[in-house]
Amino acid sequence: MSSSPQATCTEDAAPDHISHVNEQLAQLREQIAALGVGKESKRDRQKLNQAIYKLELGDEYVAAVKERDAATKSEAAAATLVAEAAAAAARALEDAAAAAAIALLRHPTPARDKLELEQHYRQQVEALFDEYADHFEQALCEGLRYRTPDHLYAMLLERSGRTPTDIAEGILSRMAAVDFGCGTGLMGVQLRVACCGRLIGCDLSRGMLKVAATRHKGVYDELVASDAISFLRKLSPGSADLIVGCDVCVYLRSLEPMFAAAEAALCEGGVLAFSTESCTLEEASGGLPPNGDGFVERPSERIAHSPEYLHWLVASRGGTMEMVSLAEVDLRMDGARMIRGNIAIMAKRRAG
């Protein structure tokens, strides 16, 4: 590896390689812009986004950027370039992963074809996040200024209904806490210090789970490779007193399956907390169910849910759940724009 062009990129060659890669990136983005909206176009878009991601984080390209930074001796410029590269890579991955996760739902197909596509897109999403796992935290936290776990954890500590003992000891969970869609463990790191019982993480990507197990060793008592809804459905009824989903609902259209599975797994008084990207009710397709969806798909192909839809979810459970708090916060950057979203804290009512 040490004799490869990646490791011996000269100062003169670095600008040429950067220009060459940038030309390739521009061509790939032009191809994406020219795609239609059909099923085949979705697959082509996913492949092109993967190609962009690999170019932007390729060893030779990264080495060339470092050579250029060293030549200019500008630490400020270097930091900006790294942040821009990380943000671009993260956006490319988000577009590809979101497209894979929801393309099937956007284009209904016969049952057999639907099952085959579900399996195909699941494999693609797993592969994307597996490949991206090692760079995930840097790109998200530094490139996109991602602070959603901070907001969620703070609201959990501030929620009403906590016992004086829990407040004094800083405890959020004494039985079992679940971090669904845990990724590399950014949320779990914060939850660990507030959990007396077990902390369980689940994620679709085994690569993300591997990073969580090694980089944040000892945070989780158990890590499970599974999609969030299937995992929640397998939990014993009433076995968890805290269920948290950080930046997961952006890949879910209807939240009803997740909400029902979480409610069943919660004990009386247990808490469900999660983040969503936000939209207005006017943006949501047809308003609230049953007349509309309560959510909208953004051009990024991430799903944004209206606050009214979150209140509707609670009301639809017939009084078994209550909304403890709902707050709008800054989630992360998307280019030069800050994405706004909601942190929802809900609780399962006690009998009587």
Side-chain angles (χ1 to χ4, degrees), residues 11-27:
E11 184 174 327
D12 292 338
D16 291 340
H17 181 71
I18 292 171
S19 298
H20 176 64
V21 172
N22 286 341
E23 289 176 2
Q24 292 179 284
L25 292 171
Q27 292 173 0

Side-chain angles (χ1 to χ4, degrees), residues 11 57 77 80 191 203 212 235 288 298 342 350:
E11 184 174 327
L57 290 185
T80 300
L191 292 175
D203 199 276
L235 294 174
L288 295 175
R298 297 296 190 194
N342 287 296
R350 299 181 185 276

Side-chain angles (χ1 to χ4, degrees), residues 123-140:
Q123 291 169 356
Q124 292 299 312
V125 171
E126 287 183 66
L128 279 166
F129 280 102
D130 283 348
E131 184 174 7
Y132 191 53
D134 289 339
H135 309 282
F136 180 77
E137 292 186 8
Q138 179 183 5
L140 202 59

Side-chain angles (χ1 to χ4, degrees), residues 1-10 59-60 63 67:
M1 180 64 75
S2 60
S3 62
S4 67
Q6 290 89 329
T8 59
C9 184
T10 67
D59 290 342
E60 189 172 356
E67 289 287 348

Side-chain angles (χ1 to χ4, degrees), residues 314-333:
V314 174
S316 70
R317 304 308 298 175
T320 59
M321 297 286 290
E322 63 176 323
M323 180 73 77
V324 177
S325 58
L326 181 66
E328 189 175 29
V329 298
D330 290 337
L331 297 179
R332 61 177 180 82
M333 295 298 294

Side-chain angles (χ1 to χ4, degrees), residues 228-292:
I229 295 173
S230 295
F231 178 76
L232 291 173
R233 285 173 174 166
K234 292 177 181 177
L235 294 174
S236 300
S239 61
D241 58 354
L242 177 63
I243 297 177
V244 177
C246 190
D247 203 38
V248 180
C249 295
V250 294
Y251 299 114
L252 303 176
R253 296 172 74 83
S254 170
L255 299 184
E256 291 180 75
M258 178 277 289
F259 195 74
E263 181 194 358
L266 283 172
C267 65
E268 292 184 1
V271 172
L272 169 64
F274 58 90
S275 65
T276 67
E277 290 190 9
S278 183
C279 71
T280 64
L281 191 58
E282 289 71 23
E283 291 178 292
S285 304
L288 295 175
N291 299 318

Side-chain angles (χ1 to χ4, degrees), residues 32 36-37 42 45 49 91-92 94-96 98-99 102 106 250 253 277-279 283 296-304 332 334 337 339:
I32 290 175
V37 296
K42 297 291 294 183
R45 181 177 291 106
N49 274 319
R91 287 195 299 274
E94 286 176 352
D95 290 344
I102 67 176
R106 296 180 65 193
V250 294
R253 296 172 74 83
E277 290 190 9
S278 183
C279 71
E283 291 178 292
V296 65
E297 180 183 336
R298 297 296 190 194
S300 63
E301 296 186 294
R302 291 164 67 94
I303 306 302
R332 61 177 180 82
D334 182 14
R337 182 172 66 95
I339 297 295

